[in-house]
Amino acid sequence: MTDQTPIENPLHGRMEAFRTRWSGAPAKMLVGGEWREAQSGETFTTEDPATGEQLAEVASAGQADVDAAVAAARTAFEGSWSKVKPDERARLINKLADLIEANGDELALIETLDVGRPIQFSRMMDVGGAISQLRYQAGWATKLQGETNEISAPGEWLSYVLREPVGVAGQIVPWNFPLAMACGKLGPALAAGCTVVLKPAEQTPLSTVRLGELALEAGFPEGVINIVTGFGRTAGAALASHMDVDKIAFTGSTQTGRAIIDASKSNFKRVSLELGGKSPTFIFADADLSKAIPAAAMGIFFNAGQVCAAGSRLFVQESVADQVLEGIAGMARMLRVGHTLDPETVIGPLVSEVQLDRVTGYIESGRVEGATIMVGGGRRDGQGWFVEPTVLVDTEASMAVRREEIFGPVLCAHRFSDAEDADRLARMGNETEFGLAASIWTRDITMAHKLARRLKAGTIRINGSGGVDPALPLGGFKSSGWGRENGRAGVEAYTELKAISVALG
Ligand code: NAI
Ligand code: MG
């Protein structure tokens, strides 16, 4: 007997719920505890990158909406939120984490559809990442301290330094990890006692809207968390230049990072920038290749390369180069590229047609400049914004594909022969304007540490790979940004120091 019984798709009911939830009236913005349309009445559409299908209409914020959100955040900062005790702030942040956990399947599906994340990753990485960020950051609410300082005139003064919240924080998030990054930004701001106006990317607003609903359910006072959905050049620019915003935290492109710096000059607001990279992976001949090869492959192909710390340049020692490149190319061919709702899919689409054109344009530029396409190299036929996992070999430092952030599943490989010269290897690693991350694979632990010391990169992994850890500072040298998120440095970036001295004489 052939089994004709339709397989029960566990996502089926959730898809119905998703459509019911998002296909009706345009999603609104959260301002001062209320859900509002844009004052202009304008909306925009967000799509599913796996199909190009329109998912939802969303309110498009303009200057007036940003003004209202900032005013609400200011009122809450000076008023209700300033009276909430640190342990209550921690409880609220943890409560939000609990609600994200309780609604994890729904949030994972939103992220899969709106961002193009394969479903097998969205529950673990997006939802899991959001929860671990909030739980880690909640701990800081009760642990931030000022200090008592013995100053230059002992006995004559009592001096102490207060650590105060910086005020109203504007937070601008990109489209690659919207939920986890929103929580990674909200957590430290709220822990430090700031209030927030949060803007998700126009490609991926839906999980942030849902996050706003959960924040209200968690019990945050009105105006503590405000959400404005809209475009960068309107809503984002209005937030970055706003005279009553005390700090901007931004993750995205270097170009927009520069625009944020320009806009922030209006009132010298504090700025933290996480601007991506062109991170090197070094594989030495003595490395454990059974680990290094899959890690290097997933380091660039995971999330179709749309990861700030993606290992997009590979420096591999000549004597193992063929073996390593064959191994990575083999994975490129084998990894399942497909619809994001298919539980077997490993590689999903790029977020938009704009990014598809950008990434395929880079592959073509590499070919024109003389690189060889070892595997991949093109768009996948059919609907959605899919690019094949691609390995470019024979790349040179002068090529655009070796210097610029492609933000797609494109690895640029280069062979090295002198494995003893840490200075020379570090110069190769440091040859771009970026300095976000690096990976080193070798059993020569002295070389690993020598190279790590010489590399200009904010995050370096030796003989292992891993994602963002909320306890570790994240950020970059050079054009990869300003400041650090996460860890102590991340939460302290939402504070100001105030030195107070009392004369004892
Ligand atoms: P983008 O930097 O323009 O967008 C990121 C966020 O900034 C979005 O929320 C956007 O609305 C906002 N934004 C845009 N212009 C703004 C402005 N003038 N003022 C204030 N906010 C503004 O990045 P885009 O155009 O989406 O992607 C282009 C490239 O940027 C990618 O190919 C990639 O190389 C890089 N990128 C890096 C990311 C990272 O994780 N470091 C994330 C996203 C993009
Ligand atoms: Mg979308």
Side-chain angles (χ1 to χ4, degrees):
M1 192 186 89
T2 55
D3 186 1
Q4 297 291 323
T5 323
I7 298 164
E8 186 61 36
N9 182 343
L11 291 169
H12 185 73
R14 293 196 195 285
M15 288 295 294
E16 286 303 311
F18 178 94
R19 294 222 162 79
T20 311
R21 166 71 173 79
W22 298 102
S23 64
K28 294 180 181 168
M29 298 180 285
L30 181 59
V31 177
E34 283 174 20
W35 291 96
R36 299 189 190 169
E37 295 171 7
Q39 295 192 26
S40 66
E42 285 175 25
T43 61
F44 65 97
T45 308
T46 183
E47 68 183 18
D48 176 352
T51 59
E53 179 199 345
Q54 300 196 344
L55 292 173
E57 287 286 311
V58 182
S60 181
Q63 182 75 51
D65 305 297
V66 172
D67 286 347
V70 172
R74 174 62 56 192
T75 303
F77 179 71
E78 308 289 351
S80 59
W81 194 231
S82 68
K83 299 186 186 71
V84 173
K85 295 196 169 68
D87 68 339
E88 175 66 3
R89 295 205 301 268
R91 193 191 65 77
L92 286 165
I93 298 167
N94 274 318
K95 176 77 180 165
L96 181 57
D98 293 344
L99 288 171
I100 291 172
E101 193 167 35
N103 293 276
D105 289 339
E106 181 197 351
L107 284 161
L109 181 62
I110 293 175
E111 215 69 333
T112 284
L113 293 171
D114 203 14
V115 180
R117 179 104 59 249
I119 192 77
Q120 65 162 310
F121 298 123
S122 51
R123 177 76 212 229
M124 177 181 61
M125 305 199 74
D126 296 283
V127 176
I131 294 167
S132 64
Q133 271 289 357
L134 290 173
R135 293 206 172 126
Y136 169 83
Q137 303 291 356
W140 281 115
T142 50
K143 282 146 202 90
L144 287 172
Q145 299 287 343
E147 54 190 31
T148 313
N149 301 44
E150 290 302 334
I151 62 170
S152 325
E156 294 173 33
W157 293 89
L158 166 63
S159 293
Y160 59 99
V161 178
L162 293 179
R163 188 175 282 287
E164 299 185 345
V166 70
V168 173
Q171 304 186 318
I172 301 176
V173 176
W175 38 260
N176 48 349
F177 295 91
L179 181 68
M181 280 198 202
C183 292
K185 285 188 163 45
L186 277 179
L190 298 168
C194 295
T195 58
V196 169
V197 179
L198 176 67
K199 192 195 89 63
E202 53 271 36
Q203 296 86 349
T204 57
L206 301 184
S207 58
T208 311
V209 172
R210 187 72 184 104
L211 181 65
E213 293 173 354
L214 297 177
L216 288 187
E217 194 179 331
F220 282 95
E222 66 183 43
V224 173
I225 298 172
N226 303 276
I227 291 165
V228 290
T229 45
F231 292 93
R233 62 180 180 278
T234 50
L239 197 55
S241 61
H242 205 288
M243 293 300 286
D244 207 26
V245 169
D246 299 297
K247 173 186 163 99
I248 285 279
F250 169 76
T251 303
S253 64
T254 40
Q255 196 189 353
T256 301
R258 285 196 186 91
I260 302 263
I261 291 172
D262 284 340
S264 68
K265 290 190 293 199
S266 60
N267 65 340
F268 293 94
K269 58 177 65 66
R270 280 66 182 123
V271 176
S272 58
L273 304 170
E274 203 272 83
L275 303 179
K278 191 73 180 173
S279 299
T281 299
F282 292 88
I283 301 182
F284 289 76
D286 67 354
D288 180 347
L289 298 183
S290 70
K291 290 190 178 137
I293 290 171
M298 288 314 283
I300 184 65
F301 300 142
F302 169 69
N303 207 38
Q306 304 170 114
V307 177
C308 53
S312 50
R313 290 180 297 148
L314 174 68
F315 297 102
V316 56
Q317 193 171 345
E318 181 67 65
S319 56
V320 292
D322 288 340
Q323 185 188 350
V324 168
L325 289 168
E326 283 302 334
I328 294 173
M331 283 191 71
R333 289 187 201 98
M334 187 194 75
L335 291 171
R336 174 134 162 182
V337 181
H339 196 283
T340 45
L341 291 173
D342 179 341
E344 305 284 310
T345 292
V346 179
I347 311 289
L350 300 184
V351 76
S352 65
E353 195 167 15
V354 172
Q355 288 301 112
L356 175 84
D357 291 343
R358 209 184 132 97
V359 171
T360 51
Y362 269 116
I363 296 171
E364 179 56 16
S365 95
R367 205 184 54 72
V368 169
E369 287 196 272
T372 306
I373 299 172
M374 184 179 181
V375 64
R379 178 179 183 176
R380 202 190 67 157
D381 291 340
Q383 59 179 5
W385 320 129
F386 291 90
V387 171
E388 296 166 322
T390 298
V391 177
L392 301 179
V393 294
D394 308 324
T395 66
E396 298 297 335
S398 59
M399 296 176 180
V401 288
R402 274 276 290 277
R403 292 194 318 269
E404 296 171 22
E405 184 174 51
I406 299 175
F407 229 57
V410 183
L411 181 66
C412 295
H414 182 84
R415 296 159 184 250
F416 67 87
S417 42
D418 184 359
E420 312 298 316
D421 188 347
D423 288 324
R424 189 172 155 270
L425 291 168
R427 272 197 302 281
M428 287 186 336
N430 294 335
E431 74 197 357
T432 75
E433 67 168 311
F434 296 105
L436 190 65
S439 301
I440 302 168
W441 294 85
T442 177
R443 288 192 169 97
D444 179 347
I445 204 69
T446 304
M447 171 50 91
H449 286 289
K450 273 163 84 171
L451 189 50
R453 285 288 176 118
R454 286 162 176 75
L455 287 169
K456 294 188 191 332
T459 299
I460 299 177
R461 297 237 183 205
I462 297 169
N463 294 335
S465 55
V468 169
D469 187 316
L472 277 179
L474 171 78
F477 286 51
K478 303 195 284 181
S479 301
S480 286
W482 276 0
R484 296 292 182 270
E485 297 192 311
N486 296 340
R488 177 187 289 275
V491 68
E492 288 187 351
Y494 285 91
T495 65
E496 290 276 13
L497 296 179
K498 181 185 283 175
I500 301 175
S501 297
V502 193
L504 299 179

